[in-house]
Amino acid sequence: MRNTMPKTIALLVAGSALLAAGTAHADRSDWPNNFTVGTASQGGTYFVYGSGWANFIADELDVSGGGEVTGGPTQNLALVHSGDMAFGLTTMGPASDAVKGESPLAPGLKMDNVCALFPMYETPFSIAALSSSGIESISDIPAGARIGFGPAASTSDTYFPAILETLGVEFDRRNGGWSDLGGQLQDGLLDVIAFAAGIPIPAVSQLEVQTDVNIIEFTEEEMATVLESFPVAEFTIPASTYTTLEEDARAVSMWNFAIAGCDLPEDFIYEVTKATMENNERMRSVHRSAETTIPENIVHNNVLPFHPGAARWYEENGYDIADDMIN
């Protein structure tokens, strides 16, 4: 009898383990085999953040995934809505346009297969010029200045030209990836770059190593005008962000959120949200702007419905989401 009892217990334990393993696999049965995250151009924060986050989720959940270069927030909304990509990164301005059917990429199409996942960070609208240009303020920008606004249809390209026009700047509009535009600025092919990107902007940090750069801030009057005219908020670029800055600089910003197709499995999105929200230190190692990738900042989304899987994690952890903000 002494040998029978341990064997019986061992069989029961083994059976329980197999049952548990089977249950775990059953929960993943409808998960995608792989996923792609729509980012933006190389050299920008979206690409660094999105690719790093994709690799983290792939490792954490053992699902193949990665980031992909895109045209940025506006295109990412369309790619996620159509199902061409599982995830994407976007800002609240383009998201608002998309759900109302006012996206410049698909006028009249209300993108209702896009759900919010988690808050990323605020995108400051900032301006850089070479110190040798003599441009130290927005009012210094000469008429006809060649200004790089980032990839076509990006948040920067959608909103920054209108902001500068509102402030009375006349310019020659140029587009391209941030790394390319940074090179053009250094080579004298551009006079100014108007960035809408998380800080520190890799292209600016690289420029600082190679030449003298002016980070141009908004005056209080300019900021008031922009706040009244556009869906942006006040923002301060800390002096510690760039070696060029000697003191904090005034700017405006727009919040960024990660998005997912609303039809993705709830359990999958729950685990994606859980991994992201419970590992902020790992996220900050991806990009320092992820310091604000925390659940408290879900309040900055009043545009997109949250995916049910994401909403379940937030509610389980004490963060309230209105019923009409859950898909």
Side-chain angles (χ1 to χ4, degrees), residues 200-274:
I201 299 163
V204 174
S205 298
Q206 183 62 33
L207 275 172
E208 285 190 307
V209 174
Q210 300 169 334
T211 187
D212 293 329
V213 180
N214 287 341
I215 308 297
I216 299 167
E217 69 173 346
F218 290 77
T219 66
E220 291 184 5
E221 184 179 353
E222 288 166 345
M223 179 181 286
T225 298
V226 174
L227 290 173
E228 184 178 346
S229 305
F230 298 92
V232 294
E234 292 186 29
F235 187 85
T236 299
I237 301 175
S240 60
T241 306
Y242 300 112
T243 58
T244 296
L245 284 176
E246 297 180 356
E247 56 185 28
D248 295 349
R250 281 184 297 270
V252 295
S253 69
M254 192 176 285
W255 268 92
N256 299 265
F257 269 70
I259 55 175
C262 297
D263 52 359
L264 287 171
E266 181 176 328
D267 285 344
F268 174 55
I269 297 302
Y270 175 88
E271 294 297 337
V272 169
T273 306
K274 175 182 170 68

Side-chain angles (χ1 to χ4, degrees), residues 6 17 27 39 44 101 107 172-173 205 213 230 242 256 263 297 308 320 324:
D27 290 341
T39 63
D172 179 9
R173 183 173 182 165
S205 298
V213 180
F230 298 92
Y242 300 112
N256 299 265
D263 52 359
N297 285 327
D320 294 329
D324 61 358

Side-chain angles (χ1 to χ4, degrees), residues 22-33:
T23 301
H25 285 297
D27 290 341
R28 298 171 66 105
S29 62
D30 59 348
W31 285 25
N33 295 321

Side-chain angles (χ1 to χ4, degrees), residues 8 39 50 104 108 112 116 126 135 151 168 183 200 226 236-237 242 276 282 287 305-306 317:
T8 302
T39 63
D112 55 6
S126 57
I135 299 174
V226 174
T236 299
I237 301 175
Y242 300 112
T276 306
R282 174 70 184 273
H287 196 281
F306 282 92
N317 288 275

